[in-house]
PDB file of all heavy atoms in Angstrom:
ATOM      1  N   PHE A 350      -7.945   9.668  13.977  1.00  0.00           N
ATOM      2  CA  PHE A 350      -8.314   8.292  13.870  1.00  0.00           C
ATOM      3  C   PHE A 350      -9.747   8.094  14.365  1.00  0.00           C
ATOM      4  O   PHE A 350     -10.540   7.347  13.791  1.00  0.00           O
ATOM      5  CB  PHE A 350      -7.363   7.392  14.651  1.00  0.00           C
ATOM      6  CG  PHE A 350      -7.663   5.925  14.467  1.00  0.00           C
ATOM      7  CD1 PHE A 350      -7.213   5.246  13.313  1.00  0.00           C
ATOM      8  CD2 PHE A 350      -8.414   5.260  15.415  1.00  0.00           C
ATOM      9  CE1 PHE A 350      -7.482   3.907  13.121  1.00  0.00           C
ATOM     10  CE2 PHE A 350      -8.651   3.877  15.200  1.00  0.00           C
ATOM     11  CZ  PHE A 350      -8.201   3.248  14.138  1.00  0.00           C
ATOM     12  N   GLU A 351     -10.126   8.767  15.431  1.00  0.00           N
ATOM     13  CA  GLU A 351     -11.468   8.621  16.008  1.00  0.00           C
ATOM     14  C   GLU A 351     -12.544   9.043  15.038  1.00  0.00           C
ATOM     15  O   GLU A 351     -13.584   8.394  14.919  1.00  0.00           O
ATOM     16  CB  GLU A 351     -11.552   9.416  17.336  1.00  0.00           C
ATOM     17  CG  GLU A 351     -10.691   8.911  18.446  1.00  0.00           C
ATOM     18  CD  GLU A 351      -9.205   9.223  18.221  1.00  0.00           C
ATOM     19  OE1 GLU A 351      -8.884  10.142  17.471  1.00  0.00           O
ATOM     20  OE2 GLU A 351      -8.348   8.564  18.859  1.00  0.00           O
ATOM     21  N   VAL A 352     -12.282  10.159  14.307  1.00  0.00           N
ATOM     22  CA  VAL A 352     -13.301  10.653  13.344  1.00  0.00           C
ATOM     23  C   VAL A 352     -13.278   9.808  12.094  1.00  0.00           C
ATOM     24  O   VAL A 352     -14.345   9.404  11.564  1.00  0.00           O
ATOM     25  CB  VAL A 352     -13.002  12.124  12.981  1.00  0.00           C
ATOM     26  CG1 VAL A 352     -13.901  12.610  11.842  1.00  0.00           C
ATOM     27  CG2 VAL A 352     -13.204  13.020  14.238  1.00  0.00           C
ATOM     28  N   MET A 353     -12.106   9.429  11.587  1.00  0.00           N
ATOM     29  CA  MET A 353     -11.979   8.632  10.361  1.00  0.00           C
ATOM     30  C   MET A 353     -12.643   7.302  10.551  1.00  0.00           C
ATOM     31  O   MET A 353     -13.350   6.759   9.664  1.00  0.00           O
ATOM     32  CB  MET A 353     -10.539   8.418  10.036  1.00  0.00           C
ATOM     33  CG  MET A 353      -9.860   9.610   9.318  1.00  0.00           C
ATOM     34  SD  MET A 353     -10.280   9.699   7.580  1.00  0.00           S
ATOM     35  CE  MET A 353      -9.429   8.263   6.911  1.00  0.00           C
ATOM     36  N   LYS A 354     -12.505   6.684  11.739  1.00  0.00           N
ATOM     37  CA  LYS A 354     -13.056   5.333  11.994  1.00  0.00           C
ATOM     38  C   LYS A 354     -14.577   5.367  11.918  1.00  0.00           C
ATOM     39  O   LYS A 354     -15.184   4.335  11.483  1.00  0.00           O
ATOM     40  CB  LYS A 354     -12.657   4.869  13.359  1.00  0.00           C
ATOM     41  CG  LYS A 354     -12.970   3.401  13.662  1.00  0.00           C
ATOM     42  CD  LYS A 354     -12.340   2.907  14.962  1.00  0.00           C
ATOM     43  CE  LYS A 354     -12.584   1.452  15.180  1.00  0.00           C
ATOM     44  NZ  LYS A 354     -11.891   0.983  16.379  1.00  0.00           N
ATOM     45  N   LYS A 355     -15.236   6.530  12.210  1.00  0.00           N
ATOM     46  CA  LYS A 355     -16.657   6.599  12.156  1.00  0.00           C
ATOM     47  C   LYS A 355     -17.173   7.168  10.789  1.00  0.00           C
ATOM     48  O   LYS A 355     -18.389   7.227  10.563  1.00  0.00           O
ATOM     49  CB  LYS A 355     -17.126   7.522  13.274  1.00  0.00           C
ATOM     50  CG  LYS A 355     -16.847   6.978  14.652  1.00  0.00           C
ATOM     51  CD  LYS A 355     -17.227   8.025  15.732  1.00  0.00           C
ATOM     52  CE  LYS A 355     -16.853   7.558  17.153  1.00  0.00           C
ATOM     53  NZ  LYS A 355     -17.173   8.557  18.175  1.00  0.00           N
ATOM     54  N   ASN A 356     -16.245   7.555   9.938  1.00  0.00           N
ATOM     55  CA  ASN A 356     -16.614   8.159   8.696  1.00  0.00           C
ATOM     56  C   ASN A 356     -16.806   7.130   7.587  1.00  0.00           C
ATOM     57  O   ASN A 356     -15.863   6.640   6.994  1.00  0.00           O
ATOM     58  CB  ASN A 356     -15.492   9.159   8.249  1.00  0.00           C
ATOM     59  CG  ASN A 356     -15.812   9.890   6.965  1.00  0.00           C
ATOM     60  OD1 ASN A 356     -16.862   9.658   6.353  1.00  0.00           O
ATOM     61  ND2 ASN A 356     -14.891  10.780   6.490  1.00  0.00           N
ATOM     62  N   ASP A 357     -18.069   6.771   7.328  1.00  0.00           N
ATOM     63  CA  ASP A 357     -18.345   5.661   6.421  1.00  0.00           C
ATOM     64  C   ASP A 357     -17.965   5.980   4.939  1.00  0.00           C
ATOM     65  O   ASP A 357     -17.888   5.084   4.142  1.00  0.00           O
ATOM     66  CB  ASP A 357     -19.797   5.297   6.486  1.00  0.00           C
ATOM     67  CG  ASP A 357     -20.164   4.539   7.719  1.00  0.00           C
ATOM     68  OD1 ASP A 357     -19.234   3.945   8.309  1.00  0.00           O
ATOM     69  OD2 ASP A 357     -21.311   4.488   8.084  1.00  0.00           O
ATOM     70  N   SER A 358     -17.741   7.226   4.631  1.00  0.00           N
ATOM     71  CA  SER A 358     -17.301   7.579   3.275  1.00  0.00           C
ATOM     72  C   SER A 358     -15.781   7.405   3.131  1.00  0.00           C
ATOM     73  O   SER A 358     -15.266   7.564   1.995  1.00  0.00           O
ATOM     74  CB  SER A 358     -17.765   9.002   2.920  1.00  0.00           C
ATOM     75  OG  SER A 358     -16.949   9.954   3.618  1.00  0.00           O
ATOM     76  N   ALA A 359     -15.098   7.148   4.210  1.00  0.00           N
ATOM     77  CA  ALA A 359     -13.595   7.092   4.112  1.00  0.00           C
ATOM     78  C   ALA A 359     -13.000   5.987   4.982  1.00  0.00           C
ATOM     79  O   ALA A 359     -11.772   5.854   4.971  1.00  0.00           O
ATOM     80  CB  ALA A 359     -12.997   8.417   4.518  1.00  0.00           C
ATOM     81  N   ASN A 360     -13.812   5.161   5.649  1.00  0.00           N
ATOM     82  CA  ASN A 360     -13.141   4.180   6.543  1.00  0.00           C
ATOM     83  C   ASN A 360     -13.129   2.782   5.959  1.00  0.00           C
ATOM     84  O   ASN A 360     -12.848   1.804   6.671  1.00  0.00           O
ATOM     85  CB  ASN A 360     -13.911   4.154   7.874  1.00  0.00           C
ATOM     86  CG  ASN A 360     -15.386   3.748   7.740  1.00  0.00           C
ATOM     87  OD1 ASN A 360     -15.840   3.312   6.676  1.00  0.00           O
ATOM     88  ND2 ASN A 360     -16.160   3.897   8.800  1.00  0.00           N
ATOM     89  N   ASN A 361     -13.392   2.620   4.678  1.00  0.00           N
ATOM     90  CA  ASN A 361     -13.330   1.359   3.958  1.00  0.00           C
ATOM     91  C   ASN A 361     -14.383   0.337   4.457  1.00  0.00           C
ATOM     92  O   ASN A 361     -14.235  -0.881   4.168  1.00  0.00           O
ATOM     93  CB  ASN A 361     -11.967   0.739   3.975  1.00  0.00           C
ATOM     94  CG  ASN A 361     -11.122   1.140   2.751  1.00  0.00           C
ATOM     95  OD1 ASN A 361     -11.669   1.505   1.750  1.00  0.00           O
ATOM     96  ND2 ASN A 361      -9.820   1.086   2.911  1.00  0.00           N
ATOM     97  N   SER A 362     -15.396   0.805   5.088  1.00  0.00           N
ATOM     98  CA  SER A 362     -16.493  -0.129   5.508  1.00  0.00           C
ATOM     99  C   SER A 362     -17.170  -0.703   4.285  1.00  0.00           C
ATOM    100  O   SER A 362     -17.652  -1.828   4.258  1.00  0.00           O
ATOM    101  CB  SER A 362     -17.493   0.604   6.406  1.00  0.00           C
ATOM    102  OG  SER A 362     -18.073   1.755   5.758  1.00  0.00           O
ATOM    103  N   VAL A 363     -17.178   0.079   3.184  1.00  0.00           N
ATOM    104  CA  VAL A 363     -17.803  -0.358   1.918  1.00  0.00           C
ATOM    105  C   VAL A 363     -16.960  -1.532   1.428  1.00  0.00           C
ATOM    106  O   VAL A 363     -17.548  -2.581   0.901  1.00  0.00           O
ATOM    107  CB  VAL A 363     -17.819   0.722   0.891  1.00  0.00           C
ATOM    108  CG1 VAL A 363     -18.130   0.203  -0.509  1.00  0.00           C
ATOM    109  CG2 VAL A 363     -18.823   1.822   1.261  1.00  0.00           C
ATOM    110  N   LEU A 364     -15.609  -1.507   1.541  1.00  0.00           N
ATOM    111  CA  LEU A 364     -14.770  -2.583   1.078  1.00  0.00           C
ATOM    112  C   LEU A 364     -15.020  -3.837   1.867  1.00  0.00           C
ATOM    113  O   LEU A 364     -15.173  -4.950   1.384  1.00  0.00           O
ATOM    114  CB  LEU A 364     -13.285  -2.206   1.203  1.00  0.00           C
ATOM    115  CG  LEU A 364     -12.285  -3.331   0.905  1.00  0.00           C
ATOM    116  CD1 LEU A 364     -12.393  -3.806  -0.541  1.00  0.00           C
ATOM    117  CD2 LEU A 364     -10.874  -2.808   1.162  1.00  0.00           C
ATOM    118  N   VAL A 365     -15.196  -3.656   3.241  1.00  0.00           N
ATOM    119  CA  VAL A 365     -15.457  -4.835   4.107  1.00  0.00           C
ATOM    120  C   VAL A 365     -16.755  -5.480   3.700  1.00  0.00           C
ATOM    121  O   VAL A 365     -16.861  -6.689   3.574  1.00  0.00           O
ATOM    122  CB  VAL A 365     -15.481  -4.390   5.564  1.00  0.00           C
ATOM    123  CG1 VAL A 365     -15.879  -5.542   6.439  1.00  0.00           C
ATOM    124  CG2 VAL A 365     -14.093  -3.844   5.995  1.00  0.00           C
ATOM    125  N   ASP A 366     -17.795  -4.674   3.466  1.00  0.00           N
ATOM    126  CA  ASP A 366     -19.096  -5.186   3.054  1.00  0.00           C
ATOM    127  C   ASP A 366     -19.006  -5.934   1.735  1.00  0.00           C
ATOM    128  O   ASP A 366     -19.659  -6.946   1.501  1.00  0.00           O
ATOM    129  CB  ASP A 366     -20.167  -4.097   2.954  1.00  0.00           C
ATOM    130  CG  ASP A 366     -20.524  -3.558   4.360  1.00  0.00           C
ATOM    131  OD1 ASP A 366     -20.257  -4.236   5.363  1.00  0.00           O
ATOM    132  OD2 ASP A 366     -21.069  -2.400   4.404  1.00  0.00           O
ATOM    133  N   MET A 367     -18.200  -5.371   0.782  1.00  0.00           N
ATOM    134  CA  MET A 367     -18.091  -5.923  -0.496  1.00  0.00           C
ATOM    135  C   MET A 367     -17.403  -7.332  -0.394  1.00  0.00           C
ATOM    136  O   MET A 367     -17.782  -8.275  -1.040  1.00  0.00           O
ATOM    137  CB  MET A 367     -17.205  -5.005  -1.402  1.00  0.00           C
ATOM    138  CG  MET A 367     -17.077  -5.441  -2.826  1.00  0.00           C
ATOM    139  SD  MET A 367     -16.408  -4.074  -3.855  1.00  0.00           S
ATOM    140  CE  MET A 367     -15.029  -3.479  -2.890  1.00  0.00           C
ATOM    141  N   MET A 368     -16.366  -7.461   0.502  1.00  0.00           N
ATOM    142  CA  MET A 368     -15.678  -8.753   0.610  1.00  0.00           C
ATOM    143  C   MET A 368     -16.647  -9.722   1.318  1.00  0.00           C
ATOM    144  O   MET A 368     -16.582 -10.932   1.013  1.00  0.00           O
ATOM    145  CB  MET A 368     -14.403  -8.563   1.444  1.00  0.00           C
ATOM    146  CG  MET A 368     -13.364  -7.656   0.800  1.00  0.00           C
ATOM    147  SD  MET A 368     -12.750  -8.300  -0.761  1.00  0.00           S
ATOM    148  CE  MET A 368     -11.466  -9.447  -0.100  1.00  0.00           C
ATOM    149  N   LYS A 369     -17.505  -9.270   2.201  1.00  0.00           N
ATOM    150  CA  LYS A 369     -18.459 -10.197   2.819  1.00  0.00           C
ATOM    151  C   LYS A 369     -19.406 -10.778   1.807  1.00  0.00           C
ATOM    152  O   LYS A 369     -19.859 -11.895   1.973  1.00  0.00           O
ATOM    153  CB  LYS A 369     -19.293  -9.408   3.879  1.00  0.00           C
ATOM    154  CG  LYS A 369     -18.541  -9.072   5.168  1.00  0.00           C
ATOM    155  CD  LYS A 369     -19.507  -8.353   6.123  1.00  0.00           C
ATOM    156  CE  LYS A 369     -18.855  -7.940   7.436  1.00  0.00           C
ATOM    157  NZ  LYS A 369     -19.734  -7.188   8.313  1.00  0.00           N
ATOM    158  N   SER A 370     -19.747  -9.980   0.740  1.00  0.00           N
ATOM    159  CA  SER A 370     -20.702 -10.430  -0.229  1.00  0.00           C
ATOM    160  C   SER A 370     -20.141 -11.498  -1.169  1.00  0.00           C
ATOM    161  O   SER A 370     -20.876 -12.147  -1.874  1.00  0.00           O
ATOM    162  CB  SER A 370     -21.180  -9.293  -1.060  1.00  0.00           C
ATOM    163  OG  SER A 370     -20.146  -8.796  -1.919  1.00  0.00           O
ATOM    164  N   MET A 371     -18.800 -11.673  -1.171  1.00  0.00           N
ATOM    165  CA  MET A 371     -18.212 -12.671  -2.021  1.00  0.00           C
ATOM    166  C   MET A 371     -18.165 -14.008  -1.274  1.00  0.00           C
ATOM    167  O   MET A 371     -17.721 -14.111  -0.174  1.00  0.00           O
ATOM    168  CB  MET A 371     -16.746 -12.241  -2.403  1.00  0.00           C
ATOM    169  CG  MET A 371     -16.727 -11.001  -3.225  1.00  0.00           C
ATOM    170  SD  MET A 371     -15.047 -10.511  -3.691  1.00  0.00           S
ATOM    171  CE  MET A 371     -15.361  -8.930  -4.459  1.00  0.00           C
ATOM    172  N   SER A 372     -18.623 -15.030  -1.921  1.00  0.00           N
ATOM    173  CA  SER A 372     -18.756 -16.349  -1.282  1.00  0.00           C
ATOM    174  C   SER A 372     -17.416 -17.097  -1.090  1.00  0.00           C
ATOM    175  O   SER A 372     -17.428 -18.123  -0.414  1.00  0.00           O
ATOM    176  CB  SER A 372     -19.708 -17.190  -2.056  1.00  0.00           C
ATOM    177  OG  SER A 372     -19.239 -17.375  -3.410  1.00  0.00           O
ATOM    178  N   VAL A 373     -16.352 -16.585  -1.705  1.00  0.00           N
ATOM    179  CA  VAL A 373     -15.062 -17.304  -1.622  1.00  0.00           C
ATOM    180  C   VAL A 373     -14.568 -17.336  -0.220  1.00  0.00           C
ATOM    181  O   VAL A 373     -13.899 -18.322   0.219  1.00  0.00           O
ATOM    182  CB  VAL A 373     -14.065 -16.616  -2.509  1.00  0.00           C
ATOM    183  CG1 VAL A 373     -12.709 -17.343  -2.469  1.00  0.00           C
ATOM    184  CG2 VAL A 373     -14.544 -16.632  -3.952  1.00  0.00           C
ATOM    185  N   THR A 374     -14.769 -16.311   0.606  1.00  0.00           N
ATOM    186  CA  THR A 374     -14.288 -16.264   1.974  1.00  0.00           C
ATOM    187  C   THR A 374     -15.335 -15.685   2.925  1.00  0.00           C
ATOM    188  O   THR A 374     -16.230 -14.994   2.446  1.00  0.00           O
ATOM    189  CB  THR A 374     -12.958 -15.450   2.022  1.00  0.00           C
ATOM    190  OG1 THR A 374     -12.419 -15.520   3.330  1.00  0.00           O
ATOM    191  CG2 THR A 374     -13.268 -14.024   1.706  1.00  0.00           C
ATOM    192  N   LYS A 375     -15.186 -15.981   4.135  1.00  0.00           N
ATOM    193  CA  LYS A 375     -16.114 -15.422   5.129  1.00  0.00           C
ATOM    194  C   LYS A 375     -15.420 -14.311   5.945  1.00  0.00           C
ATOM    195  O   LYS A 375     -14.370 -14.562   6.550  1.00  0.00           O
ATOM    196  CB  LYS A 375     -16.556 -16.513   6.116  1.00  0.00           C
ATOM    197  CG  LYS A 375     -17.623 -16.031   7.119  1.00  0.00           C
ATOM    198  CD  LYS A 375     -18.040 -17.100   8.078  1.00  0.00           C
ATOM    199  CE  LYS A 375     -19.142 -16.597   9.019  1.00  0.00           C
ATOM    200  NZ  LYS A 375     -18.779 -15.411   9.767  1.00  0.00           N
ATOM    201  N   VAL A 376     -15.889 -13.086   5.855  1.00  0.00           N
ATOM    202  CA  VAL A 376     -15.345 -12.000   6.603  1.00  0.00           C
ATOM    203  C   VAL A 376     -16.011 -11.868   7.955  1.00  0.00           C
ATOM    204  O   VAL A 376     -17.245 -11.960   8.050  1.00  0.00           O
ATOM    205  CB  VAL A 376     -15.546 -10.681   5.796  1.00  0.00           C
ATOM    206  CG1 VAL A 376     -15.004  -9.482   6.579  1.00  0.00           C
ATOM    207  CG2 VAL A 376     -14.889 -10.737   4.407  1.00  0.00           C
ATOM    208  N   ASP A 377     -15.217 -11.751   8.981  1.00  0.00           N
ATOM    209  CA  ASP A 377     -15.761 -11.663  10.326  1.00  0.00           C
ATOM    210  C   ASP A 377     -16.707 -10.470  10.465  1.00  0.00           C
ATOM    211  O   ASP A 377     -16.379  -9.348  10.017  1.00  0.00           O
ATOM    212  CB  ASP A 377     -14.647 -11.532  11.364  1.00  0.00           C
ATOM    213  CG  ASP A 377     -13.845 -12.818  11.491  1.00  0.00           C
ATOM    214  OD1 ASP A 377     -14.157 -13.743  10.745  1.00  0.00           O
ATOM    215  OD2 ASP A 377     -12.881 -12.879  12.240  1.00  0.00           O
ATOM    216  N   ASP A 378     -17.864 -10.639  11.002  1.00  0.00           N
ATOM    217  CA  ASP A 378     -18.896  -9.681  11.049  1.00  0.00           C
ATOM    218  C   ASP A 378     -18.491  -8.409  11.833  1.00  0.00           C
ATOM    219  O   ASP A 378     -18.921  -7.312  11.530  1.00  0.00           O
ATOM    220  CB  ASP A 378     -20.194 -10.231  11.642  1.00  0.00           C
ATOM    221  CG  ASP A 378     -20.869 -11.225  10.708  1.00  0.00           C
ATOM    222  OD1 ASP A 378     -20.631 -11.113   9.494  1.00  0.00           O
ATOM    223  OD2 ASP A 378     -21.613 -12.091  11.187  1.00  0.00           O
TER     224      ASP A 378
END
Side-chain angles (χ1 to χ4, degrees):
F350 185 80
E351 294 73 19
V352 173
M353 281 282 290
K354 189 171 183 176
K355 297 175 183 177
N356 181 0
D357 286 341
S358 72
N360 63 10
N361 267 338
S362 58
V363 169
L364 174 63
V365 175
D366 290 341
M367 187 166 45
M368 297 296 278
K369 284 180 182 179
S370 70
M371 297 182 187
S372 59
V373 179
T374 186
K375 183 181 185 303
V376 178
D377 291 0
D378 289 336

